[in-house]
Amino acid sequence: MLSLRLVRHIEDHAEEITDRIVGAIHAHTELRSYQRLAAPELRARIRHLCRHLGEWLQQDADLTVAHEFEDLGRRRWREGVPLAEVVLVLKLWKEHLLGHVREEIWGGNAIDLHGGEELAFRLMHFFDRGTLELVRGYEAERFGKEAPPDALPS
């Protein structure tokens, strides 16, 4: 049972969450390449995901998620961002969203806790799938070939 209240809370607080994530990215010493990327594009991408989280987490959105992250991987290769940095940013992004969920369910009732666990599970799946597709796009761009078809079921 996905907590729609928690999803809406994240969507409604997209600006605040985006500020935290972007701050963590810019403060991280291993993300030098991200400090030279256009900050508005990074902010817009994070904010977009947070504002539309409910849509992204739907089961039938897997193909859209795959294409979105594959395109991001291709773009980051062209921008010269090392793959390790791109994956680390996704990890930070996931950790901040999961942390926000934990903050919101702290002290809640059993239904909130269960809904929070389900949301956390879906977020982990979303970011794991996103990371896989991002790496596929990055490597396809790097080696000059088409990304392989979506071979792994979600």
Side-chain angles (χ1 to χ4, degrees):
M1 172 177 114
L2 182 62
S3 173
L4 296 177
R5 182 188 69 75
L6 285 172
V7 170
R8 275 192 227 108
H9 180 81
I10 290 171
E11 291 173 342
D12 292 344
H13 292 84
E15 277 304 319
E16 172 191 331
I17 295 167
T18 298
D19 288 344
R20 282 201 232 165
I21 296 168
V22 170
I25 290 169
H26 286 295
H28 203 290
T29 58
E30 293 179 54
L31 296 173
R32 290 185 192 92
S33 297
Y34 272 84
Q35 278 134 30
R36 64 180 166 77
L37 290 178
E41 188 259 338
L42 180 62
R43 292 186 64 75
R45 179 167 294 283
I46 293 169
R47 186 175 39 251
H48 178 73
L49 180 128
C50 291
R51 281 193 179 145
H52 300 279
L53 186 64
E55 296 167 32
W56 288 102
L57 294 179
Q58 291 177 15
Q59 299 268 342
D60 59 348
D62 260 2
L63 195 54
T64 304
V65 170
H67 289 298
E68 190 78 20
F69 279 94
E70 181 186 320
D71 289 345
L72 179 60
R74 289 176 179 279
R75 189 172 328 117
R76 292 299 183 246
W77 164 255
R78 290 190 301 269
E79 294 166 337
V81 178
L83 182 57
E85 286 188 41
V86 181
V87 172
L88 180 54
V89 163
L90 287 182
K91 180 182 177 292
L92 288 173
W93 195 351
K94 175 175 74 172
E95 288 172 354
H96 273 76
L97 280 177
L98 289 172
H100 193 80
V101 169
R102 275 193 300 277
E103 288 172 13
E104 286 304 307
I105 64 171
W106 182 254
N109 60 37
I111 293 172
D112 286 341
L113 291 173
H114 181 72
E117 285 179 359
E118 176 65 22
L119 178 55
F121 175 78
R122 289 212 191 164
L123 282 171
M124 288 186 286
H125 173 77
F126 171 82
F127 278 100
D128 289 349
R129 177 65 187 260
T131 301
L132 172 66
E133 298 304 335
L134 182 139
V135 169
R136 282 182 174 162
Y138 191 98
E139 289 180 342
E141 190 71 16
R142 178 180 180 196
F143 297 113
K145 54 186 173 184
E146 285 297 311
D150 189 26
L152 294 178
S154 45

